[in-house]
């Protein structure tokens, strides 16, 4: 498109709205765009989409090429590795040309492989998944849910949760057909294929059967989209008769449910990022009441897993220490054992045994128990891995005051992600996953008795993918305060360190979420165009333990942004990139990061993509009626009550700090039905950016009108969205053409 034919960017009308807090007044001319049902708002978003389409029309061939590359490399007819539970093998499969997975199962005694009728259920043979061939009919297969059929007639489809009764006869599931992450719950009788008459609307994530299949436990969110109620539905009764097992009235607390590994206990977890509470319900006793095991008043961030051992009910506690007890503070978490009977005593009188002590260099990320083993997930030097110990040995050692001996599988790469746990409590294997920037996802069964790793599947990458053509390395940037910030640098092996290459810097840096190494087929389209892909593991994430998170939240939040700028400076001076050909990208809270970074150093970037960006954070968090706002206080601080927090947030929130500056090409990508980050934030941000930029570079807003926070739901639509983002970056960096092989 020539400069003369570029249409005028949409200009939203200005309707001044004044926000006043702590003696400060902020006049917002675009707050009226929050009126989602206003036809003027819908028309404005449509005009923005039309403008975006016109400005980026020249990128369509590149988008098509990237989409086809993703499609060509993906085995479209495929299936997950079957997982065994209650005498069935469960798996999901995809079919070429269909958008959504099909969820299936087949009986363990008729699924191929060894002669099941002659196999001892405790042996390894009984836990060897059937050799199901993609695209080949499976004898005896039963379809639980066909996502394609469920999505028919709807612009969006997502599965929120699913559960099968212990006897295998009932399948409960919840679906979202709007993209707002509010689900409808139904129950299917697997004996007849018919649905039970009850339909429960407005449920949240979280769904579990009790052992006899007569009751369903599910979650409901309040008007601010905060999960606050655990409800109980008795099968065969009207939903309006459902009872509330637990209700959380504190607007700053999030509630969720889960089952213990042995499925005897329903766990109700309440908490935020700083402390939590656990209640449990004994599902073996129909008359049992919900029992408190560790309350929020103790201010201990924890999770609990009850299990039976040696005739006693024990609790496996992952926690950040007892500041008033012998453990002291344990910010990187530790693992303890306590008898359930001890929890009826005051905390100071309870006897806890240490399983895994606190370590300043290693974060304990999670723990699980099988009938025979303890499984612990750890993070060391940014990388997650797993360790195993026989449960009897671990309990004996902890009770004797010794640290148990663990075995850790070795995977042979520097930067990788390994994790997993128990799929069936009594299984002789644990299911593990492994991936890296260059290794496609692998599924292993870890033989608990011997430590043997059995590869069950490596995700196929079609078209002759050769991991030797790509390199992933660790590098370190130095922040303004001297802190060393880890970077993951991924590139084609043929790229030379000559200072001429394009680069993309990606980051997140909030909620203690780590950007762990993972393979991505779509990323190959960037690497194959010579783009050096750099993940900046900035403070606010969890890559280097709890302190890394604490140093990037609340009144330390600016560290997240300055770390990212320091990462960009490293890229510019490393020799891997041309300083004039660097782009940045991030989504959600990572979109806030991109917005803040562009205000700090717009001249360092040639382009930016902000996906569902949280760029008007202060306005959102000041309104406790908006979705999730009150829960955000533990992450950012409470600007309603605290003037210092208000002033600090106002100093960095992207929308309020736009200035006359040479902003690069910017694409803000959002979804009309997103309940986490409302579309209004990027809509306002784009208007303000256009008015302030001095560069003349286009700033566009792309709104998906039928999607939610994660974007479009179908896999082909998701590939198109990723191709759109990557084409915007590659075009801006002058990296449209593939490198020679």
């Amino acid at each position: 498109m020539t400069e003369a034919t570029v249409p005028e960017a949409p200009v939203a009308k200005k309707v001044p709205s004044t926000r006043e807090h702590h003696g400060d007044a902020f006049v917002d001319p675009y707050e009226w765009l929050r009126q989602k049902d206003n036809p003027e708002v819908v028309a404005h978003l449509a005009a923005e989409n039309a403008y975006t389409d016109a400005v980026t029309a020249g990128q369509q061939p590149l988008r098509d090429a990237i989409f086809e590359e993703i499609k060509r490399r993906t085995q479209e007819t495929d299936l997950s590795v079957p997982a065994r539970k209650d005498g069935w093998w469960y798996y999901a499969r995809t079919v070429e040309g269909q958008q959504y997975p099909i969820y299936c199962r087949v009986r363990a005694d008729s699924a191929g492989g060894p002669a099941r009728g002659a196999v001892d259920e405790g042996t390894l043979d009984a836990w060897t998944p059937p050799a199901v061939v993609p695209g080949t009919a499976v004898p005896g297969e039963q379809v639980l849910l066909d996502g394609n059929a469920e999505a028919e007639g709807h612009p969006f489809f997502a599965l929120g949760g699913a559960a099968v009764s212990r006897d295998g006869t009932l399948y409960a599931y919840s679906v979202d057909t709007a993209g707002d992450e509010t689900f409808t719950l139904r129950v299917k009788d697997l004996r007849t294929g018919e649905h039970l008459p009850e339909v429960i609307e407005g449920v949240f994530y979280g769904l579990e059967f009790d052992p006899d299949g007569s009751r369903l436990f599910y979650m409901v969110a309040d008007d601010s989209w905060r999960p606050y109620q655990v409800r109980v539905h008795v099968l065969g009764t009207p939903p309006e008769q459902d009872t509330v097992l637990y209700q959380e009235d504190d607007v700053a607390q999030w509630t969720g449910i889960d089952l213990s590994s042995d499925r005897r206990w329903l766990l109700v977890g309440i908490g935020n990022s700083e402390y939590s509470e656990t209640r449990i319900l004994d599902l073996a006793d129909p008359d049992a009441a919900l029992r408190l095991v560790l309350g929020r008043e103790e201010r201990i961030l924890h999770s609990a897993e009850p299990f039976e051992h040696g005739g006693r009910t024990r609790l496996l506690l992952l926690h950040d220490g007892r500041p008033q007890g012998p453990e002291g503070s344990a910010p990187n978490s530790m693992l303890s054992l306590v008898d359930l009977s001890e929890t009826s005593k005051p905390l100071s009188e309870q006897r806890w045994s240490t399983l895994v002590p606190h370590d300043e260099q290693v974060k304990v990320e999670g723990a699980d128990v099988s009938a025979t083993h303890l499984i612990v997930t750890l993070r060391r030097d940014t990388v997650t891995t797993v360790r195993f110990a026989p449960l009897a040995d671990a309990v004996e050692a902890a009770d004797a005051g010794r640290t148990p001996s663990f075995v850790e599988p070795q995977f042979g790469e520097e930067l990788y992600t390994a994790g997993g746990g128990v799929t069936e409590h009594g299984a002789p294997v644990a299911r593990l996953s492994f991936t890296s920037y260059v290794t496609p996802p692998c599924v292993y069964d870890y033989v608990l008795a011997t430590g043997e790793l059995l590869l069950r599947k490596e995700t196929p990458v079609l078209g002759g993918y050769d991991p030797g053509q790509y390199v992933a390395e660790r590098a370190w940037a130095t922040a303004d305060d001297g802190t060393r910030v880890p970077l993951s640098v991924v590139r084609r092996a043929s790229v030379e360190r000559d200072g001429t290459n394009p680069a993309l810097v990606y980051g997140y840096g909030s909620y203690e979420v780590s950007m762990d190494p993972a393979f991505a087929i779509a990323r190959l389209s960037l690497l194959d165009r010579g783009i050096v892909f750099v993940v900046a593991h900035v403070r606010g994430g969890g890559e280097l333990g709890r302190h890394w998170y604490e140093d990037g939240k609340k009144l330390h939040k600016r560290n997240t942004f300055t770390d990212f700028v320091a990462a960009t400076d490293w890229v510019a001076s490393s020799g891997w990139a041309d300083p004039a050909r660097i782009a940045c990208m991030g989504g959600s809270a990572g979109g806030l990061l991109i917005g803040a970074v562009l205000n700090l150093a717009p001249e360092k970037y040639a382009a930016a993509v902000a996906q569902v960006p949280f760029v008007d954070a202060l306005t959102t968090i000041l309104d406790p009626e908006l979705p999730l706002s009150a829960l955000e206080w533990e992450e950012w601080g409470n600007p309603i009550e605290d003037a210092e927090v208000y002033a600090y947030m106002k100093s960095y929130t992207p929308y309020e700090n736009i200035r006359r500056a040479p902003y690069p090409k910017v694409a803000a990508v959002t979804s009309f039905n997103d309940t986490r980050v409302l579309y209004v934030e990027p809509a306002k941000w784009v208007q303000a950016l256009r008015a302030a930029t001095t560069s003349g570079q286009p700033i566009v807003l792309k709104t998906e009108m039928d999607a939610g926070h994660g974007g479009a739901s179908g896999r082909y639509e998701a590939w198109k969205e990723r191709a759109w983002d990557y084409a915007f970056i590659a075009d801006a960096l002058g990296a449209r053409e593939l490198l020679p092989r």
Side-chain angles (χ1 to χ4, degrees):
M1 176 176 295
T2 65
E3 188 171 323
T5 60
V6 174
E8 291 291 326
V11 178
K13 68 181 182 181
K14 295 184 177 181
V15 182
S17 173
T18 302
R19 185 195 73 205
E20 295 188 48
H21 288 271
H22 306 292
D24 174 74
F26 172 68
V27 179
D28 187 345
Y30 303 118
E31 177 62 13
W32 71 275
L33 290 171
R34 192 177 300 275
Q35 301 167 22
K36 187 176 182 180
D37 295 329
N38 184 338
E40 285 189 77
V41 172
V42 176
H44 174 73
L45 296 178
E48 287 280 16
N49 279 346
Y51 173 71
T52 298
D53 288 345
V55 169
T56 66
Q59 297 167 20
Q60 188 60 48
L62 182 56
R63 291 197 286 264
D64 291 343
I66 294 174
F67 173 83
E68 288 301 324
E69 289 161 17
I70 298 170
K71 190 172 185 289
R72 187 168 60 248
R73 289 183 171 118
T74 302
Q75 183 165 301
E76 297 180 64
T77 298
D78 202 2
L79 76 156
S80 63
V81 179
R84 183 167 177 171
K85 208 169 195 65
D86 295 324
W88 294 83
W89 290 102
Y90 290 87
Y91 55 95
R93 56 181 175 84
T94 55
V95 177
E96 183 174 357
Q98 296 186 359
Q99 294 269 24
Y100 301 99
I102 303 167
Y103 301 92
C104 308
R105 71 177 183 177
V106 63
R107 284 192 181 275
D109 58 5
S110 62
R116 300 297 178 190
V119 170
D120 183 341
E121 293 297 294
T123 67
L124 191 57
D125 277 348
W127 292 86
T128 300
V132 182
V133 179
T136 301
V138 180
E141 179 183 85
Q142 185 174 20
V143 173
L144 306 175
L145 182 74
D146 184 342
N148 304 287
E150 291 284 333
E152 191 170 344
H154 300 288
F156 183 93
F157 168 78
L159 184 65
V164 182
S165 60
R166 290 288 292 273
D167 65 5
T169 63
L170 298 174
Y171 178 72
Y173 66 97
S174 59
V175 299
D176 168 20
T177 55
D180 59 3
E181 295 183 87
T182 301
F183 301 89
T184 298
L185 171 60
R186 303 190 70 187
V187 182
K188 183 179 180 180
D189 188 331
L190 297 176
R191 293 163 294 192
T192 66
E194 300 297 322
H195 285 87
L196 300 188
E198 54 257 50
V199 176
I200 306 176
E201 302 284 356
V203 308
F204 196 73
Y205 299 102
L207 177 62
E208 303 290 353
F209 272 109
D210 71 355
D212 67 4
S214 64
R215 295 183 297 173
L216 266 175
F217 302 94
Y218 65 95
M219 294 298 308
V220 173
D222 63 13
D223 291 340
S224 67
W225 201 70
R226 175 185 66 95
Y228 82 117
Q229 277 188 350
V230 182
R231 291 188 186 176
V232 185
H233 174 70
V234 177
L235 275 296
T237 65
E240 53 267 24
Q241 294 181 10
D242 292 357
T243 58
V244 176
L245 176 67
Y246 179 79
Q247 177 169 312
E248 177 53 56
D249 294 322
D250 186 339
V251 296
Q253 304 295 312
W254 182 291
T255 305
I257 58 173
D258 200 0
L259 288 182
S260 61
S261 179
D262 62 8
R263 291 185 284 174
R264 172 180 170 176
W265 304 89
L266 179 77
L267 313 177
V268 179
I270 307 106
N272 54 44
S273 65
E274 299 189 346
Y275 56 89
S276 53
E277 177 171 298
T278 298
R279 298 169 183 262
I280 62 175
L281 180 69
D282 187 352
L283 298 178
D285 180 359
D287 299 319
L290 202 58
R291 172 175 179 168
L292 177 68
V293 295
L294 189 55
R296 72 193 73 182
E297 70 278 359
E298 308 297 350
R299 290 301 191 264
I300 297 175
L301 186 63
H302 71 277
S303 63
E305 174 73 17
F307 66 99
E308 311 302 312
H309 183 75
R312 300 152 63 187
T313 302
R314 312 288 293 259
L315 285 173
L316 181 65
L317 287 176
L318 175 66
H319 63 98
D320 64 351
R322 288 192 292 173
Q324 307 306 317
E327 292 84 3
S329 178
N332 271 349
S333 298
M334 58 187 297
L335 205 57
S336 297
L337 275 180
V338 59
D339 272 27
L340 180 59
S341 60
E342 290 283 305
T343 63
S344 61
K345 304 175 184 177
L347 183 64
S348 60
E349 298 176 13
Q350 295 178 20
R351 295 178 56 194
W352 293 16
S353 302
T354 300
L355 272 167
V356 178
H358 180 254
D359 188 328
E360 292 289 345
Q361 304 303 318
V362 179
K363 174 76 185 296
V364 185
E365 296 265 279
D368 201 358
V369 288
S370 74
T372 61
H373 279 72
L374 170 66
I375 302 103
V376 181
T377 304
L378 304 171
R379 182 180 298 277
R380 181 178 55 239
D381 295 330
T382 79
V383 170
T384 58
T385 190
V386 285
R387 289 178 178 174
F388 298 86
L391 183 61
D393 294 352
V395 170
E396 180 183 352
D399 288 345
R402 296 182 283 105
T403 300
S405 296
F406 287 89
V407 175
E408 180 178 317
Q410 300 300 308
F411 296 98
E413 292 191 42
E414 177 191 9
L415 304 178
Y416 65 86
T417 301
V422 179
T423 57
E424 180 78 312
H425 187 66
V429 296
R431 182 60 58 83
L432 299 186
S433 61
F434 170 84
T435 186
S436 75
Y437 291 114
V438 299
T439 302
C442 299
V443 175
Y444 292 91
D445 276 340
Y446 178 86
V447 183
L448 296 170
T450 66
E452 183 181 4
L453 276 175
L454 303 174
L455 178 63
R456 299 306 192 191
K457 179 179 181 177
E458 179 174 333
T459 300
V461 182
L462 306 183
Y465 171 71
D466 178 6
Q469 292 185 350
Y470 304 90
V471 176
E473 299 172 317
R474 167 68 76 235
W476 297 85
T478 302
D480 292 344
D481 61 1
T483 298
R484 297 179 76 228
V485 180
L487 312 177
S488 295
V489 183
V490 190
R491 57 181 172 82
R492 272 282 292 269
S494 62
V495 167
E496 296 184 4
R497 196 170 189 169
D498 58 8
T500 67
N501 304 302
L504 173 61
V505 187
Y506 181 86
Y508 186 76
S510 292
Y511 305 107
E512 203 175 359
V513 173
S514 300
M515 296 293 100
D516 290 327
F519 185 80
I521 283 178
R523 189 193 302 128
L524 298 177
S525 291
L526 294 181
L527 302 178
D528 286 351
R529 286 171 171 81
I531 296 174
V532 178
F533 190 93
V534 180
V535 181
H537 302 283
V538 294
R539 281 175 281 186
E543 286 90 342
L544 290 176
R546 182 72 179 188
H547 81 92
W548 200 246
Y549 170 52
E550 298 283 357
D551 288 349
K553 67 181 291 193
K554 291 190 174 179
L555 297 178
H556 303 288
K557 189 63 200 172
R558 289 181 68 89
N559 286 335
T560 303
F561 317 135
T562 54
D563 282 0
F564 193 90
V565 174
T568 304
D569 289 341
W570 180 91
V571 173
S573 63
S574 67
W576 285 119
D578 178 348
R581 301 177 71 196
I582 299 175
C584 58
M585 177 185 284
S588 195
L592 182 153
L593 166 63
I594 298 305
V597 163
L598 292 183
N599 288 336
L600 288 175
E603 72 285 351
K604 295 182 185 293
Y605 304 96
V609 172
Q611 301 157 313
V612 289
F614 190 33
V615 284
D616 191 21
L618 184 53
T619 299
T620 294
I621 296 172
L622 282 167
D623 186 350
E625 300 303 316
L626 290 177
L628 301 181
S629 288
L631 294 170
E632 299 287 357
W633 296 338
E634 298 301 330
E635 180 72 18
W636 314 93
N638 185 344
I640 299 174
E641 303 292 337
D642 192 324
E644 183 181 14
V645 169
Y646 176 90
Y648 188 76
M649 289 194 68
K650 189 170 183 183
S651 75
Y652 69 72
T653 191
Y655 177 56
E656 296 180 41
N657 286 280
I658 292 170
R659 58 189 174 89
R660 294 286 292 174
Y663 288 93
K665 295 178 181 178
V666 177
V669 181
T670 189
S671 297
F672 191 54
N673 292 324
D674 192 343
T675 49
R676 297 178 186 243
V677 179
L678 301 184
Y679 71 90
V680 66
E681 297 200 26
K684 292 163 60 173
W685 182 58
V686 162
Q687 287 294 304
L689 277 176
R690 285 201 195 117
T693 187
T694 61
S695 69
Q697 297 291 348
I699 295 170
V700 300
L701 173 68
K702 177 176 175 283
T703 304
E704 172 57 60
M705 301 304 289
D706 296 315
H709 191 65
S713 56
R715 57 175 173 164
Y716 297 108
E717 295 307 311
W719 296 350
K720 289 176 183 177
E721 286 191 353
R722 184 51 51 89
W724 196 98
D725 296 345
Y726 281 0
F728 186 89
I729 293 293
D731 180 70
L733 298 181
R736 299 175 62 96
E737 302 301 323
L738 293 168
L739 297 179
R741 286 287 179 181

